[in-house]
Amino acid sequence: MSAEPQPDVSEDIDFVAERDSEEFQELRKTHRSFVFPMAIFFLVWYFAYVLLADYFHDFMSIKVFGNVNMGILLGMLQFVSTFVITGMYVHFSNKKLDPKATKIRKRLEKEGVN
């Protein structure tokens, strides 16, 4: 938390105009360029696992090593892929989204204070 109170600049900013600005549209485009393909990838991967588990029992029961079969292995990879995608998003956000969002925020704060 900040020791000094932040001024309320929300009344001085035209949020509709900001939403329509080229800078904000670029931020949204950048965000969507990562989120939509990754969401589609994960959903396809998830439903493939569910369909394999439901309809391909022989494949899912293939022993990989010890008592670990394909079903358990693919199920564990669901968790791994979730963590990998999360890490990729954090990296993408830090590198691509946060600098653009910070630039917009600072400009809006400067405009709102004046």
Side-chain angles (χ1 to χ4, degrees), residues 24-107:
F24 187 75
Q25 293 302 317
E26 177 62 30
L27 176 63
R28 288 179 63 184
K29 180 181 174 187
T30 304
H31 178 259
R32 288 177 177 169
S33 73
F34 181 88
V35 171
F36 286 156
M38 201 54 63
I40 291 167
F41 164 76
F42 183 78
L43 287 173
V44 167
W45 159 230
Y46 173 75
F47 285 117
Y49 173 73
V50 170
L51 291 172
L52 285 169
D54 198 27
Y55 295 107
F56 296 93
H57 299 255
D58 292 338
F59 173 74
M60 295 298 266
S61 62
I62 294 172
K63 297 269 186 196
V64 179
F65 53 88
N67 287 330
V68 177
N69 60 24
M70 287 299 289
I72 292 173
L73 184 63
L74 292 176
M76 295 305 288
L77 286 174
Q78 289 284 318
F79 289 102
V80 171
S81 66
T82 300
F83 291 120
V84 168
I85 290 170
T86 301
M88 289 170 59
Y89 178 75
V90 168
H91 177 74
F92 177 81
S93 180
N94 287 339
K95 189 173 181 170
K96 302 278 186 176
L97 299 178
D98 289 351
K100 292 178 182 183
T102 300
K103 183 178 174 184
I104 292 170
R105 180 182 51 80
K106 285 182 179 180
R107 179 178 48 78

